[in-house]
């Protein structure tokens, strides 16, 4: 199971969570952190890779209001939207580039 | 200075002793709040150069965290095929078994990794979906046809050099119909040197994996990005100083224009400047130029090893990021 949640202490609620991602590292960690830090409801967001030999990543979200899981979901959805947008733009530019190349030869 | 570099572009100015921003009051690209909406508005792709195995393209209006994520994904998360197991049936050459196996592992293979699956259990028997099999059976002998007096090794012996072209593909199951043209990308990689009596008889097993597992699975020779350099002249530089200025930068960056018997320097194309700080050696030139970099303009260079086309490597890396997020979202919906 790639995502587990670190148990909170008794005074935390849904708004503060540390998620543990098995099999992920800086690649996803930093991208997700930068996306989620931009949300207005997020008070604090950071990630760490506890040990370089172990492929796992700890991801902490603290919210001003709302649930931490929802911010995580929104972050992942935004990254999917970004990927789709980049794929679209890239394939469009590739076609335009191939057209330009044909004209010049 | 202010007038020349204070445009709407987020620039970093490389001074002699310090690095400054051109828009100090605004948040830099690094600590600006990211939003999907502004990203979609600003983002552009420009392809610049596409050779057989090398692609240069610009991602404009993108944040460093995304650029870096794609670079990391291309290097270590886009899968390819490589030789993982070598069954040594006979090896009487002087190269040791483990060294030979390692050399064979590093040979780039021509096989589209998208047509294969990752092997779930590494100890299991390979199937046609997850494994490619090759053989390398070669024996060095004396060359009887050659004239007696030649002392060149290539005349005296047959098969004294083992090259990657000697590796033969053995299709498993229906692979022959499904795949075409499988084998080493380069035919002329030297694997071993032999003398008469030496013999190799090997069975090679290639599987699909990612660069994180071993560098031999990385689809790129290198994939990197840099910021677009931009050089502005703040005052006119003429005469002998113009030539000196030209020599401070990479070839093609500064050109010299001749007009009415005098010559002066103009910026031709700063794109391929290396960012050398040579101008700062000259007291009279250092105040004449502003060396800047555009902070949200990333120039990607992707050099493919040959198994995948470089544009495919990039699109695959974006798809991998997307798939990672989708599978995590799926997981979260079950929590």
């Amino acid at each position: 199971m790639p995502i587990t949640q670190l148990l909170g202490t008794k005074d935390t609620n849904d708004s503060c969570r540390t998620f543990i991602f098995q099999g992920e590292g800086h690649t996803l960690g930093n991208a997700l952190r930068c996306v989620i830090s931009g949300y207005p409801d997020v008070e604090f967001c950071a990630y760490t890779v506890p040990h370089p030999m172990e492929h796992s990543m700890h991801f902490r979200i603290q919210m001003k209001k709302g649930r931490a899981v929802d911010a995580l979901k929104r972050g992942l959805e935004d990254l999917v939207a970004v990927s789709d947008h980049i794929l679209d733009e890239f394939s469009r530019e590739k076609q335009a580039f191939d057209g330009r190349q044909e004209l010049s030869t | 200075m202010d007038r020349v570099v204070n445009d709407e572009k987020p620039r970093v100015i490389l001074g002699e002793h310090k690095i400054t921003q051109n828009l100090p009051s605004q948040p830099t690209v690094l600590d600006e709040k990211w939003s999907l909406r502004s990203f979609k508005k600003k983002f552009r792709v420009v392809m610049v150069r596409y050779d057989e195995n090398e692609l240069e393209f610009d991602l404009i209006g993108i944040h460093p965290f995304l650029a870096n994520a794609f670079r990391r994904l291309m290097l270590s998360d886009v899968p390819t095929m490589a030789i993982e197991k070598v069954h040594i049936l006979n090896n009487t050459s002087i190269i040791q078994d483990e060294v030979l196996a390692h050399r064979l592992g590093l040979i780039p293979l021509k096989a589209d990794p998208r047509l294969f699956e990752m092997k779930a259990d590494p100890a299991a028997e390979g199937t046609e979906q997850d494994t490619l099999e090759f053989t390398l059976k070669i024996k060095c002998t004396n060359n009887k046809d050659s004239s007696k007096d030649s002392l060149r090794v290539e005349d005296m012996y047959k098969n004294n050099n083992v090259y990657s072209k000697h590796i033969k593909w053995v299709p498993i199951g229906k692979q022959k119909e499904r795949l075409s043209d499988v084998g080493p990308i380069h035919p002329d990689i030297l694997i071993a040197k032999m003398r008469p009596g030496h013999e190799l008889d090997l069975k090679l097993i290639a599987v699909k994996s990612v660069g994180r597992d071993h560098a031999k699975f990385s689809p790129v020779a290198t994939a990197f990005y840099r910021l677009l350099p931009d050089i502005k002249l703040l005052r006119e530089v003429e005469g002998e100083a113009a030539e000196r200025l030209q020599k401070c930068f990479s070839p093609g960056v500064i050109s010299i224009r001749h007009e009415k018997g005098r010559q002066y320097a103009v910026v031709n194309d700063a794109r391929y400047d290396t960012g050398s700080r040579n101008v700062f050696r000259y007291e009279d030139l250092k105040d004449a130029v502003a060396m800047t970099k555009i902070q949200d303009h990333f120039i990607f260079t992707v050099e493919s090893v040959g198994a995948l086309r470089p544009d495919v490597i990039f699109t695959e890396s974006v798809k991998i990021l997307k798939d990672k997020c989708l599978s995590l979202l799926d997981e979260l919906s079950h929590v």
Side-chain angles (χ1 to χ4, degrees):
Chain A
M1 181 174 168
I3 307 181
T4 46
Q5 284 180 36
L6 208 65
L7 285 173
T9 52
K10 60 176 180 288
D11 52 13
T12 56
N13 49 26
D14 280 350
S15 66
C16 301
R17 276 286 174 273
T18 300
F19 301 94
I20 301 174
F21 291 73
Q22 294 296 339
E24 296 296 343
H26 295 284
T27 309
L28 188 77
N30 190 41
L32 203 56
R33 190 215 90 209
C34 291
V35 170
I36 292 177
S37 321
Y39 298 152
D41 288 347
V42 173
E43 184 181 54
F44 173 83
C45 177
Y47 82 98
T48 178
V49 175
H51 194 282
M53 291 290 288
E54 288 161 19
H55 210 55
S56 84
M57 187 258 294
H58 289 199
F59 199 89
R60 174 75 173 167
I61 303 175
Q62 286 172 216
M63 304 289 286
K64 286 178 197 145
K65 59 172 195 275
R67 291 163 63 205
V69 190
D70 295 334
L72 181 61
K73 276 186 189 165
R74 191 180 155 198
L76 290 166
E77 279 159 7
D78 273 1
L79 272 183
V80 172
V82 166
S83 308
D84 280 332
H85 188 66
I86 292 176
L87 282 174
D88 284 353
E89 290 286 314
F90 190 82
S91 64
R92 192 178 310 150
E93 173 59 20
K94 176 78 173 70
Q95 277 180 1
F97 178 79
D98 288 345
R100 292 202 294 272
Q101 291 293 98
E102 256 167 54
L103 277 180
S104 64
T105 49
Chain B
M1 177 89 157
D2 289 351
R3 193 173 40 83
V4 183
V5 294
N6 266 6
D7 48 9
E8 72 296 342
K9 284 179 182 164
R11 286 169 195 271
V12 60
I13 302 161
L14 312 174
E16 187 181 4
H17 298 297
K18 62 177 179 193
I19 289 170
T20 46
Q21 312 279 337
N22 70 325
L23 305 166
S25 58
Q26 287 185 8
T28 65
V29 176
L30 292 162
D31 52 27
E32 175 185 46
K33 295 275 185 209
W34 183 88
S35 82
L36 184 61
R37 219 149 110 248
S38 67
F39 170 77
K40 282 193 173 171
K41 212 163 71 189
K42 276 195 275 180
F43 180 68
R44 273 191 306 128
V45 186
V46 180
M47 256 191 214
V48 177
R49 188 162 55 86
Y50 192 141
D51 304 330
E52 198 181 342
N53 280 330
E54 209 176 315
L55 171 66
E56 185 177 317
F57 62 97
D58 294 9
L59 297 184
I60 306 162
I62 195 171
H63 271 58
F65 75 85
L66 278 172
N68 194 43
F70 295 132
R71 181 192 65 84
R72 287 178 66 98
L73 284 161
M74 281 191 276
L75 287 170
S76 65
D77 282 272
V78 177
T80 59
M81 305 291 287
I83 292 166
E84 173 73 1
K85 283 209 168 80
V86 179
H87 293 189
I88 296 179
L89 308 174
N90 193 7
N91 173 19
T92 50
S93 75
I94 51 157
I95 187 164
Q96 298 94 326
D97 292 357
E98 66 274 20
V99 180
L100 181 67
H102 179 245
R103 287 180 72 80
L104 289 161
L106 297 173
I107 295 170
L109 296 180
K110 191 167 25 178
D112 192 334
R114 290 170 293 178
L115 303 173
F116 293 89
E117 286 161 19
M118 296 262 199
K119 214 169 162 183
D121 174 19
E125 188 81 11
T127 65
E128 64 176 285
Q129 268 78 38
D130 59 25
T131 308
L132 278 173
E133 216 180 282
F134 301 90
T135 56
L136 178 57
K137 197 173 158 73
I138 193 163
K139 194 173 182 178
C140 180
T141 50
N142 277 309
N143 187 2
K144 297 195 180 72
D145 314 329
S146 77
S147 54
K148 293 270 180 324
D149 48 344
S150 172
L151 285 172
R152 294 169 59 208
V153 279
E154 50 267 44
D155 293 335
M156 286 156 72
Y157 314 124
K158 271 183 180 163
N159 293 332
N160 61 310
N161 286 344
V162 183
Y163 290 107
S164 50
K165 67 183 171 210
H166 295 125
I167 295 174
K168 291 282 167 294
W169 176 40
V170 184
I172 313 171
K174 288 204 175 90
Q175 278 183 346
K176 196 155 199 170
E177 291 99 85
R178 207 157 61 88
L179 310 163
S180 63
D181 200 22
V182 171
I185 291 163
H186 310 281
D188 55 349
I189 300 172
L190 184 64
I191 297 168
K193 290 205 161 204
M194 303 203 291
R195 284 295 175 268
H198 291 177
E199 187 178 350
L200 286 178
D201 188 0
L202 314 169
K203 188 171 140 186
L204 318 168
I205 291 157
V207 296
K208 177 176 166 175
S209 186
V210 290
R212 198 185 320 121
D213 174 23
H214 191 291
K216 69 187 174 186
F217 292 112
S218 186
V220 290
T222 174
F224 63 92
Y225 60 76
R226 61 197 179 93
L227 296 177
L228 177 75
D230 193 21
I231 292 165
K232 292 239 149 90
L233 292 185
L234 303 173
R235 61 171 167 79
E236 200 148 273
V237 179
E238 51 181 359
E240 173 271 338
E243 279 169 21
R244 233 169 345 116
L245 186 76
Q246 189 180 34
K247 284 193 187 126
C248 290
F249 294 95
S250 305
V253 173
I254 305 278
S255 56
I256 292 177
R257 203 167 283 170
H258 298 270
E259 211 170 74
K260 294 176 197 149
R262 69 187 190 100
Q263 57 174 12
Y264 59 98
V266 286
V267 179
N268 178 38
D269 179 16
R271 186 184 171 90
Y272 294 106
D273 185 50
T274 54
S276 143
R277 295 163 47 79
N278 269 336
V279 248
F280 298 118
R281 291 168 61 221
Y282 300 106
E283 281 303 322
D284 60 323
L285 289 179
K286 62 167 94 164
D287 61 328
V289 276
M291 292 169 68
T292 67
K293 285 184 187 240
I294 314 292
Q295 279 187 295
D296 64 349
H297 189 136
F298 290 84
I299 301 170
F300 271 78
T301 311
V302 180
E303 254 177 62
S304 168
V305 159
L308 288 169
R309 294 204 320 274
D311 60 310
V312 174
I313 294 173
F314 179 72
T315 49
E316 283 297 301
S317 77
V318 184
K319 280 180 197 156
I320 287 166
L321 180 69
K322 185 182 158 187
D323 290 346
K324 268 186 192 207
C325 295
L326 285 175
S327 69
L328 290 168
L329 275 171
D330 184 52
E331 192 119 358
L332 281 172
S333 65
H334 296 309
V335 173

